[in-house]
Amino acid sequence: MKKIFFLLLFAVYGVTMSAQSVQGYNNPVIPGYHPDPSVCRVGDDFYLVNSSFQYFPGVPIFHSRDLIHWEQIGNVLDRASQVSLKGATSWQGIYAPTIRYHEGTYYMITTNVGNGGNFMVTATDPRGPWSEPIWLKQQGIDPSLYFENGKCYMVSNPDDAIWLCEIDPKTGEQLTESRQLWRGTGGRYPEGPHIYKKDGYYYLLISEGGTEYGHSITIARSKKIEGPYKANPDNPILCHQRRITQTSQIQGTGHADLVQGSDGSWWIMFLAFRTYGGNYHHLGRETFLAPVEWEKKGWPVVNGNGTVALSMNVPTLPQTAPKPATERFTFPESLNDPGWLMLQNPQDSMIKPASRINDDLSTFTALRLKASKSTLSENDRPSFLGRRQESAEMTLATRVSLACEGDSLVDEAEGGLTVYQINDGHYDLFLRCQSGVRSVGLRCRLKAIDYIVAEQTLDAADQFAPVELKVESDEALYHFYYRLTADDEWHKLGTLDTILLSSEVAGGFTGVVLGMYASSPVDGDSAVFDYFELKE
């Protein structure tokens, strides 16, 4: 009996300690190219969206119960009728979205830079389907919504300031003239506005300084939503361009959204990037999390001192177990995964199934990627399917073969793997055919210049035979390999620096996306991929 009592006591103690010891997490909570986070809470559930720029489908949407472990549940803009990305570059397309929930409806409002301006879509289920675009009059980027007393307010940043108007949330009609609220504290590019109400004050949270190293978050408040707004005397409330963080790997902190947990705790979701090899970042702007306390005078304080760390030793909401990451994607099943990306609005029938035969003569389904006349560098709907790189250390592999509708491949038919930052900054590990001769090679595209780093001619006995390709990376380098069969050793083609694909060198507002691609100067050619393996 005594033994049973102690066992029960130990069990209760263990459960109690487990509940109390839920503390700490690692940043970023959504790694890789996931910028401009916006979050809303519905009951005990949190939903988050990110910018997508020139990639389709647009605006990834995530779900979480603890703000730490996130699962992508879809993409808001998953139809061509919702989003035109014609000619969009890495500086254009879908900018900072905001997600809000009001009376049974989810709202996502954003800007399509280069193709239409500000619009919103709605849904009754965050997993979709989402509506067709509702276009809005007030321009500027980074629009946001605030609902109160039957009214819907919109804020955005035309004329380098934050402006407010009232709109009809069903039709998008602007009901009041736009009114200037705040120009910020003097930092350039006041943007990313969000309005909240707490303890009788309307709080206006914005980002300033540009989405670079001087990025910061500032806040002002007013007793009336129309203003005037008074700035927090301790602005910025979040910034890493400080002496205490000058050696931090985390830089460019900004573009934030506040959210309150059901337990009353406050949190801030924001973007930042991790630097590698000095002041360079290639993975893009990522989604970070920090706790918020409200001081006696009513201003928010982020993580005690306005900075954040990679390892956060703070109390959290009860944490849920993370979902295991998929490492090997086979087809066509994995195409239902919402993490796949294409460049601009994809061509019709770009992706088709392909029947393949194993060594034991059994069959399986592979992915046939229709070759585009447009290359990755031309930025005109290339044939491309990829996933965000989320860790500096990763291994990417595939088995690829070339195919055609005729008897032989035309010159320059090509397919393989790409490490893609922007159309003027990518590394391509390719299999191609020229004058009936097959080869594998490594290309570097940087600032409008293409050059072949290495190329190896292959046995022409079977020009349609598959070749395995592999890319490995660490913080400083990408290493490129190939082999002809699974029994062969890997042959190294070359090594290239991660810095050349950084935003500071290559440019753009996104981050590295790892993908499969195919190109050919004529119709009918394609590349067939047996699998896509990504271990991070």
Side-chain angles (χ1 to χ4, degrees):
M1 188 71 182
K2 194 173 184 180
K3 183 177 181 181
I4 294 174
F5 172 78
F6 277 110
L7 286 173
L8 289 172
L9 183 64
F10 179 78
V12 172
Y13 175 78
V15 170
T16 304
M17 288 303 294
S18 176
Q20 291 179 347
S21 62
V22 176
Q23 180 162 321
Y25 60 92
N26 292 326
N27 270 316
V29 291
I30 308 180
Y33 149 52
H34 292 101
D36 306 318
S38 174
V39 62
C40 72
R41 178 175 67 88
V42 181
D44 290 327
D45 296 290
F46 298 94
Y47 298 98
L48 181 146
V49 291
N50 295 110
S51 299
S52 51
F53 294 91
Q54 81 275 36
Y55 286 97
F56 181 89
V59 186
I61 181 166
F62 293 83
H63 169 259
S64 176
R65 301 275 288 187
D66 59 13
L67 293 172
I68 296 164
H69 303 103
W70 294 90
E71 178 186 2
Q72 187 174 351
I73 58 174
N75 293 279
V76 175
L77 306 176
D78 59 5
R79 306 186 301 277
S81 60
Q82 293 174 302
V83 55
S84 171
L85 297 170
K86 183 177 180 180
T89 68
S90 189
W91 288 276
Q92 296 176 315
I94 300 300
Y95 275 39
T98 293
I99 186 169
R100 292 294 183 257
Y101 176 80
H102 180 67
E103 295 183 349
T105 299
Y106 293 86
Y107 296 81
M108 191 284 297
I109 183 171
T110 188
T111 311
N112 188 341
V113 175
N115 284 288
N118 288 332
F119 69 96
M120 65 180 178
V121 293
T122 63
T124 55
D125 185 335
R127 291 166 176 79
W130 290 76
S131 73
E132 292 299 301
I134 302 168
W135 295 97
L136 304 165
K137 179 182 177 182
Q138 181 171 293
Q139 292 303 300
I141 60 170
D142 306 351
S144 182
L145 297 175
Y146 175 76
F147 294 89
E148 185 178 49
N149 298 328
K151 295 183 177 182
C152 176
Y153 297 93
M154 170 187 171
V155 284
S156 59
N157 77 332
D159 193 29
D160 205 35
I162 308 303
W163 294 72
L164 171 84
C165 68
E166 184 185 344
I167 65 170
D168 183 327
K170 293 183 179 180
T171 67
E173 178 187 1
Q174 187 164 324
L175 304 178
T176 64
E177 290 296 318
S178 298
R179 179 188 182 99
Q180 183 175 308
L181 299 185
W182 195 35
R183 300 193 75 91
T185 63
R188 66 175 182 163
Y189 307 140
E191 57 194 12
H194 295 300
I195 290 178
Y196 318 88
K197 192 173 186 181
K198 184 179 186 297
D199 300 331
Y201 281 103
Y202 294 93
Y203 287 88
L204 176 58
L205 185 79
I206 73 168
S207 57
E208 300 184 50
T211 185
E212 299 140 7
Y213 288 83
H215 213 24
S216 64
I217 292 298
T218 57
I219 195 166
R221 69 184 181 188
S222 171
K223 285 289 187 178
K224 298 180 179 179
I225 195 168
E226 300 89 357
Y229 281 82
K230 181 180 179 181
N232 179 358
D234 291 326
N235 276 326
I237 63 170
L238 174 63
C239 181
H240 266 220
Q241 198 169 53
R242 307 171 186 259
R243 183 179 299 173
I244 60 173
T245 50
Q246 64 183 347
T247 60
S248 173
Q249 188 185 11
I250 303 170
Q251 295 296 328
T253 55
H255 200 104
D257 202 359
L258 290 166
V259 66
Q260 187 177 21
S262 57
D263 64 349
S265 62
W266 282 85
W267 301 85
I268 190 167
M269 310 290 307
F270 59 97
L271 71 77
F273 52 79
R274 290 176 288 171
T275 58
Y276 296 96
N279 292 327
Y280 301 94
H281 73 285
H282 63 290
L283 298 186
R285 296 168 296 158
E286 308 171 291
T287 293
F288 286 69
L289 173 71
V292 172
E293 298 288 343
W294 293 81
E295 44 107 289
K296 291 182 179 179
K297 294 182 180 180
W299 294 107
V301 177
V302 176
N303 197 35
N305 65 355
T307 68
V308 68
L310 291 174
S311 179
M312 298 289 293
N313 185 26
V314 297
T316 70
L317 297 173
Q319 294 191 26
T320 58
K323 186 178 180 180
T326 300
E327 293 185 340
R328 189 179 178 92
F329 297 88
T330 54
F331 307 106
E333 305 82 22
S334 73
L335 293 179
N336 294 323
D337 188 290
W340 292 108
L341 293 173
M342 292 167 275
L343 285 163
Q344 304 169 339
N345 298 99
Q347 301 181 60
D348 293 336
S349 303
M350 184 183 79
I351 299 172
K352 291 182 177 181
S355 181
R356 298 276 287 148
I357 301 176
N358 284 311
D359 294 337
D360 62 2
L361 301 183
S362 62
T363 61
F364 67 96
T365 301
L367 175 76
R368 182 185 296 272
L369 197 59
K370 177 183 175 183
S372 168
K373 292 182 181 180
S374 173
T375 68
L376 292 171
S377 300
E378 291 171 297
N379 198 49
D380 184 16
R381 300 198 302 164
S383 290
F384 168 92
L385 184 66
R387 304 183 69 85
R388 296 165 176 86
Q389 182 179 348
E390 298 182 349
S391 172
E393 297 182 1
M394 68 85 194
T395 299
L396 170 68
T398 191
R399 183 167 58 233
V400 61
S401 56
L402 300 176
C404 72
E405 294 178 357
D407 294 331
S408 61
L409 295 162
V410 301
D411 283 355
E412 305 300 329
E414 180 177 308
L417 295 174
T418 182
V419 181
Y420 186 93
Q421 175 68 256
I422 187 174
N423 65 299
D424 272 340
H426 52 91
Y427 300 149
D428 308 327
L429 179 60
F430 60 82
L431 169 66
R432 70 175 172 182
C433 184
Q434 290 181 297
S435 302
V437 177
R438 285 197 321 154
S439 62
V440 290
L442 174 61
R443 176 192 300 109
C444 172
R445 168 75 176 197
L446 185 63
K447 297 296 184 183
I449 298 175
D450 277 336
Y451 69 93
I452 300 298
V453 178
E455 190 164 9
Q456 178 66 49
T457 300
L458 302 178
D459 186 351
D462 182 0
Q463 62 178 332
F464 300 111
V467 174
E468 285 191 279
L469 305 176
K470 183 174 72 168
V471 184
E472 293 181 340
S473 77
D474 52 34
E475 296 182 2
L477 299 169
Y478 288 101
H479 308 276
F480 300 86
Y481 305 86
Y482 78 95
R483 67 182 180 185
L484 301 182
T485 71
D487 296 327
D488 289 347
E489 293 184 359
W490 288 102
H491 307 287
K492 190 169 187 178
L493 273 174
T495 297
L496 292 168
D497 206 308
T498 61
I499 289 176
L500 296 182
L501 294 189
S502 68
S503 296
E504 289 78 11
V505 176
F509 282 157
T510 55
V512 168
V513 176
L514 305 166
M516 302 168 282
Y517 78 97
S519 64
S520 175
V522 299
D523 293 328
D525 288 330
S526 59
V528 177
F529 296 87
D530 293 351
Y531 64 88
F532 184 86
E533 188 172 85
L534 177 57
K535 297 180 180 180
E536 298 193 271

